[in-house]
Amino acid sequence: LPLMRSAKAGKKVEFDNLGTVHSGLRSADLHSRFNKVQGDICKDSDKIGSNFALLKLLVVSHASGLTWQLITTIIDAFGNLAPQFAMLQLLRLLEDRDRGMDIGRQGALWVFALGTLQLLGGYNFGRMWWYSEAFSMIPVRTQLGTLVVAKSLRKKDVKEAPKAKSSENEGEDVEQQQSNGKDGGEPQKNKSASEADMDEEDASKKSRQGIINLVGVDSSRVALMFYFINLLYGAVFKLLIAFVFLYKIVGWQSMVAGITVQLLFLPLNIIFSKKYAAGQDALMKARDRKLNVVDEALSGIRQIKFAALEEQWQKKIMASREDELKALWQTLIADVILIGLWILGPVLLSATSIVVYAMVTGGLEPSVAFTTVSLLSKIEGTLAYVPELMTDMADAWVSMRRISEYLDAPEKVVVSKPGEKIVFDHATVT
């Protein structure tokens, strides 16, 4: 609040005005914690070994935050469906009132319970995501980024040795060089020193880009897995509670019918989710190609004007734009179908369960109808994000493998020894 008041008053915000970062979010503390856990768990403290080992180290390092995340997720699973139970009881009381019963106190009690459960559920929902972000996602991303950067300072600079040629290949190379000489051409020569330097520079750039990708992309993917991991076991808890609740309300016939309809929609969700992801990938690549062409045209605009090549370059740019529009169209079609499935799914799910219940029992009470519709919408919403969650976890698993392989790379041999001071001994400085 003091910082917000200072900003509102127009005062310049200095670095000293910001609060100290919690120790659980500092890079140095997270790095030390990981090394300590690695030394306690791994037999070879210098090696991680596999994805499972890295995952175990991350889980142990952030056990406290993950525990709070698990507790609040379990509470959210009950709190998500508790208002539905209160609504069911309230609707049944309203049905009893139509039959002439007095429901004054009980009705007020369930109205109060409904509002209280909604408030408590919303509060716990916010706490759950706060624990997921502040105690899981941000620390994991910071820790992995710190580990990669620290490893880059110790990593051994390994260059691939030239492959040894067999005797047959050597003979062919000699004959080729001799034939080139006879034809008046010069024999093939090895790469020059400048070309070798350029190759080393390109390799260095790729290495630096790889480190940037590990810190910026792969670490974020793994951190997002820890951020959304509660959705996975939260979905299991919610579905178990919802199915038990649904069984108590409409019976097993209606429940099986509703689940069958939802399972029929699940493959379509998976198929068009993959098409949407593939379309997004193609769209990003098409945009990259278009930007490269436009950048090249802008860089050489003077030469294009001198040579009167405006028409040819315009065709080239518009061709890349057409590719981008095709990819965008495919992506939007898949997106529209996904949205349609998400909208249509709850309607058919609820309609099927209610119709089967009415056919089995010969009637439909308002309490059953409204509660079933609300409950099935919760189930459908839970199942909708499971395919996307599986895709995100697969991406995180690939990123975790890349990080673990990088952290297990050979390191430089330490040849220096710590000393108390640095001196010049009999030195002449000019």
Side-chain angles (χ1 to χ4, degrees):
L1 288 178
L3 182 62
M4 295 177 66
R5 293 193 189 99
S6 299
K8 183 179 180 181
K11 297 180 180 179
K12 185 178 180 181
V13 179
E14 302 291 344
F15 184 78
D16 295 335
N17 298 131
L18 302 176
T20 305
V21 179
H22 188 268
S23 61
L25 300 177
R26 296 175 189 167
S27 300
D29 295 340
L30 291 170
H31 186 263
S32 301
R33 185 195 305 174
F34 185 90
N35 290 336
K36 183 179 181 303
V37 172
Q38 184 179 4
D40 296 338
I41 294 179
C42 298
K43 295 180 180 179
D44 185 359
S45 59
D46 296 332
K47 296 291 182 180
I48 293 177
S50 64
N51 288 23
F52 290 103
L54 179 58
L55 179 61
K56 183 178 180 180
L57 292 173
L58 292 174
V59 169
V60 175
S61 299
H62 306 279
S64 177
L66 292 173
T67 301
W68 281 109
Q69 188 180 6
L70 174 62
I71 293 173
T72 51
T73 301
I74 296 175
I75 297 175
D76 180 71
F78 287 95
N80 192 42
L81 299 175
Q84 318 305 322
F85 178 76
M87 183 177 67
L88 175 63
Q89 300 302 321
L90 182 59
L91 291 173
R92 285 178 175 175
L93 286 175
L94 294 176
E95 292 173 357
D96 293 338
R97 187 187 64 178
D98 294 338
R99 301 187 188 99
M101 296 178 60
D102 183 17
I103 62 167
R105 290 184 178 180
Q106 292 183 350
L109 178 63
W110 283 112
V111 168
F112 177 77
L114 180 61
T116 303
L117 290 173
Q118 289 281 9
L119 290 175
L120 293 177
Y123 174 78
N124 181 77
F125 182 80
R127 297 288 295 184
M128 178 187 69
W129 287 113
W130 181 69
Y131 283 125
S132 300
E133 184 169 3
F135 289 85
S136 294
M137 185 187 74
I138 295 178
V140 169
R141 184 178 61 190
T142 305
Q143 189 176 60
L144 289 176
T146 305
L147 290 170
V148 171
V149 173
K151 180 68 177 184
S152 66
L153 300 177
R154 307 190 310 268
K155 188 174 180 293
K156 187 176 181 180
D157 187 12
V158 180
K159 293 184 175 62
E160 184 179 1
K163 296 181 180 180
K165 295 183 179 180
S166 61
S167 58
E168 296 179 359
N169 292 336
E170 289 180 357
E172 293 177 358
D173 291 343
V174 172
E175 291 177 359
Q176 181 67 27
Q177 291 181 3
Q178 290 176 353
S179 63
N180 290 340
K182 291 177 182 179
D183 294 338
E186 295 182 358
Q188 293 181 352
K189 297 180 181 180
N190 295 330
K191 290 184 177 180
S192 63
S194 60
E195 292 176 345
D197 292 339
M198 292 176 63
D199 291 342
E200 290 184 4
E201 184 178 355
D202 292 340
S204 177
K205 290 181 179 178
K206 291 180 180 179
S207 177
R208 289 195 296 269
Q209 185 62 40
I211 296 172
I212 294 173
N213 290 335
L214 288 174
V215 175
V217 179
D218 294 300
S219 298
S220 298
R221 282 183 174 180
V222 177
L224 283 176
M225 182 184 71
F226 279 82
Y227 181 62
F228 290 117
I229 190 65
N230 62 320
L231 294 179
L232 185 60
Y233 48 75
V236 176
F237 294 137
K238 289 179 181 178
L239 291 176
L240 289 176
I241 299 171
F243 287 152
V244 173
F245 193 12
L246 189 63
Y247 171 75
K248 294 293 183 181
I249 298 175
V250 298
W252 68 270
Q253 298 96 333
S254 301
M255 185 181 70
V256 171
I259 294 174
T260 302
V261 171
Q262 183 60 46
L263 291 178
L264 291 177
F265 272 83
L266 191 58
L268 293 177
N269 277 325
I270 296 175
I271 292 173
F272 286 102
S273 295
K274 291 182 178 179
K275 288 187 176 182
Y276 177 77
Q280 281 285 356
D281 184 55
L283 178 61
M284 296 305 296
K285 291 180 180 178
R287 285 175 175 171
D288 290 340
R289 290 193 295 268
K290 183 196 70 174
L291 290 176
N292 289 335
V293 174
V294 173
D295 182 66
E296 185 179 358
L298 292 176
S299 301
I301 188 67
R302 180 178 298 177
Q303 288 79 5
I304 293 174
K305 297 292 289 184
F306 283 162
L309 297 174
E310 294 91 345
E311 184 177 354
Q312 290 87 336
W313 274 94
Q314 184 178 3
K315 291 180 180 179
K316 188 175 181 179
I317 293 174
M318 293 307 299
S320 62
R321 174 60 175 166
E322 289 296 327
D323 293 339
E324 180 188 5
L325 291 177
K326 289 180 182 178
L328 180 62
W329 180 251
Q330 295 175 356
T331 302
L332 291 178
I333 289 177
D335 191 22
V336 169
I337 294 176
L338 279 176
I339 294 175
L341 290 174
W342 292 340
I343 295 175
L344 189 61
V347 177
L348 293 180
L349 182 62
S350 303
T352 302
S353 299
I354 292 174
V355 167
V356 172
Y357 175 82
M359 293 174 60
V360 172
T361 62
L364 181 64
E365 299 84 4
S367 59
V368 174
F370 285 105
T371 306
T372 302
V373 170
S374 178
L375 185 61
L376 290 176
S377 66
K378 298 286 185 181
I379 296 176
E380 196 278 337
T382 301
L383 291 174
Y385 57 73
V386 172
E388 184 179 358
L389 184 62
M390 293 291 101
T391 303
D392 293 339
M393 287 192 169
D395 294 338
W397 192 251
V398 174
S399 296
M400 194 175 295
R401 175 181 55 80
R402 285 163 45 86
I403 293 174
S404 61
E405 289 178 353
Y406 184 81
L407 295 179
D408 284 342
E411 298 185 1
K412 300 176 182 178
V413 179
V414 179
V415 295
S416 60
K417 295 181 180 180
E420 297 179 356
K421 56 186 177 180
I422 300 176
V423 299
F424 290 101
D425 188 12
H426 296 90
T428 301
V429 180
T430 60

